Amino acid sequence: MRILVMGGTWFLGRAIVECALSRGLKVTTFNRGQSGSDVPEVEAVRGDRTVREDLLKLALRGPWDAVVDTSASELAPRDVFLAASTLQSRTRRWVHVSTVSVYEGWPHQPLTEQSPLLDCPADADASFGYTGEDGSPTQYGFQKAGGERAIAEIFGDGAVFLRPGVILGPGEYVGRLPWWLERAKRGGRILAPAPPEQRIQPVDVRDVAEFALHQAVASGSGGFNVTHPDGLSFSGFLEECLAVTGGTGTPEWVDASVLAKHQVKQWTELPLWRTHAGVWAVDSQRAVKAGLSCRPISETVRDTWQWWAADGRPVDHPRWAEHGIAAEKEASILASL
């Protein structure tokens, strides 16, 4: 079996490539060669997926049994449409990595795959959509919904959409889990968002990769929410971070109203913390029935620490600097309690 991975050099794309090669599949990757290095044994093709001439040259390397697209996160729908339409005759199936942000109700409402999506045309440019005053919906969500529509219009029953919430694991480029690991290692009083029993649903990058490949060879179609079906409490998550790093810190559980008073930014200054009712209420049972299998989050924490402690260095990404509260601000809040 031959697959084409759009991207393929870092985090999820790399995990998919490595998983595919371990299964004996033949893999072509397509990227600009600017982020990360090629996995050995792939057929690496260089090019810009927003340039039709580059895509036509790529098409000559086909056909493929499936395309797995991990590199559309920053693309306008019309650019997604361009790639899919150019490669339509060279593959029967397109597995598109999307996001839970495509839902109208995200992050305020619990979600299933039947929840309504944001409305964005397949030929929209990067200006389409808006971000609400409270941070939702997001222009990013509109753009990703338009990308899904572009794939659906071209591939129909051959289109699959993976909608993860938060992906963690070795190679993470955003910095959510590495920040908590470093904070746990530092010890002392740790500012933690109450309630401690709040369950979170991050999914391991390797499990997403396995599911993406499973869908590449399957016959189903449509959207799949890719979130951890069991999850883990926030207190359990911090306990795991402390255990694997040997940290001796003590979480201080602080109510959201107090954190808001001190202008602590949700989702970034305290990574994975968000108070909206639906943020960690994303039903993934359809994906589980279709083959999604998630390892315990404790294993993700342990393996990420092993990678990070061994001088793990992700691809440079601007979002890395967004995550984590400054030590001085954290100390000031804790001193005020």
Side-chain angles (χ1 to χ4, degrees), residues 144-157:
K144 293 292 281 186
E148 285 197 14
R149 180 173 291 183
I151 299 299
E153 289 185 3
I154 296 169
F155 283 95
D157 291 341

Side-chain angles (χ1 to χ4, degrees), residues 24 41 45 51 64 76 80 108 117 121 141 143 186 201 204 215 221 229 235 250 265 274 296 302 314 318 321 335:
E41 300 180 27
V45 181
V51 177
W64 300 276
V80 176
H108 300 283
L117 304 181
Q143 293 279 308
R186 193 166 79 241
Q201 296 178 284
D204 193 288
Q215 287 304 305
S221 62
S235 61
T250 302
K265 296 178 182 177
R274 201 167 182 178
R302 181 199 66 202

